Amino acid sequence: AQSVTQLDSQVPVFEEAPVELRCNYSSSVSVYLFWYVQYPNQGLQLLLKYLSGSTLVKGINGFEAEFNKSQTSFHLRKPSVHISDTAEYFCAINSGNTPLVFGKGTRLSVIA
Amino acid sequence: DGGITQSPKYLFRKEGQNVTLSCEQNLNHDAMYWYRQDPGQGLRLIYYSHIVNDFQKGDIAEGYSVSREKKESFPLTVTSAQKNPTAFYLCASRSSGGPQETQYFGPGTRLLVL
């Protein structure tokens, strides 16, 4: 069975400070990894995904994530957050023909 | 514009009533999914379909039913057997190119019980 653990349910951070949202996964096979963002009362939007190659992946809105196979992690980072980054962030994995497996989400609150 | 539409945006259900949530996509995607979202619980898979006229139960299918008669449509019925239906429901789709393909989401339907 596959699973995704997002280690922090809520992360408050001051505007213009850096942030890291942590994601660990468990799988017996190789997986593809995704980060999605959800703004209030909206659907999910893809931020970035790791398929293969360079372990550092750049996404939209200045976010990036690093895949670490030995630690089975895919942490999301941004060097300087804005008020508009306040949202819920979901890490997800996929392999084969199965649906995405999501973590429970991390609520990022940016404080002015 | 290509995308996924869900309607209605808000839906109210009375006790003992079945309600149907609509999901339509014009992305020409083969796979479609229904998720339920509750605060602090992330997204839980209700049903999914990889091809017309075929669908599989997800992790929390009890009290729900679906149909997939057309490629572009995947309606979800919340039956009276679902005792706690209040939640945010998200529909998604993905092309058949494989698990590396991006899953796209609709804007969601919020279901409330009167």
Side-chain angles (χ1 to χ4, degrees), chain B residues 12-98:
Chain B
F12 298 91
R13 194 191 91 163
K14 296 179 181 178
E15 293 288 339
Q17 187 181 42
N18 292 355
V19 292
T20 297
L21 285 62
S22 169
C23 177
E24 304 276 332
Q25 54 97 2
N26 61 4
L27 300 168
N28 199 34
H29 287 170
D30 288 306
M32 297 188 74
Y33 309 87
W34 273 107
Y35 294 90
R36 170 178 171 143
Q37 186 177 21
D38 297 280
Q41 300 231 26
L43 278 71
R44 293 184 289 169
L45 184 67
I46 306 173
Y47 269 98
Y48 63 101
S49 168
H50 284 155
I51 196 168
V52 173
N53 293 322
D54 188 42
F55 47 83
Q56 286 77 42
K57 293 182 179 180
D59 302 318
I60 57 164
E62 186 174 349
Y64 300 96
S65 66
V66 293
S67 62
R68 186 83 187 277
E69 297 176 1
K70 299 187 295 182
K71 186 176 183 177
E72 59 270 23
S73 177
F74 191 40
L76 173 74
T77 296
V78 184
T79 74
S80 57
Q82 173 50 244
K83 298 305 179 188
N84 184 23
T86 297
F88 190 52
Y89 290 86
L90 287 161
C91 178
S93 72
R94 192 183 76 186
S95 76
S96 57

Side-chain angles (χ1 to χ4, degrees), chain A residues 44-96:
Chain A
L44 276 68
Q45 178 185 1
L46 181 73
L47 271 179
L48 49 81
K49 62 183 178 182
Y50 174 77
L51 304 181
S52 64
S54 172
T55 57
L56 184 63
V57 181
K58 294 191 182 297
I60 62 171
N61 301 341
F63 284 93
E64 63 182 30
E66 185 151 22
F67 170 56
N68 188 319
K69 189 174 182 178
S70 62
Q71 297 188 8
T72 59
S73 68
F74 190 51
H75 301 331
L76 181 71
R77 302 186 184 102
K78 187 169 182 178
S80 175
V81 295
H82 303 289
I83 294 289
S84 59
D85 293 323
T86 294
E88 190 150 22
Y89 292 79
F90 292 94
C91 182
I93 62 174
N94 201 2
S95 67

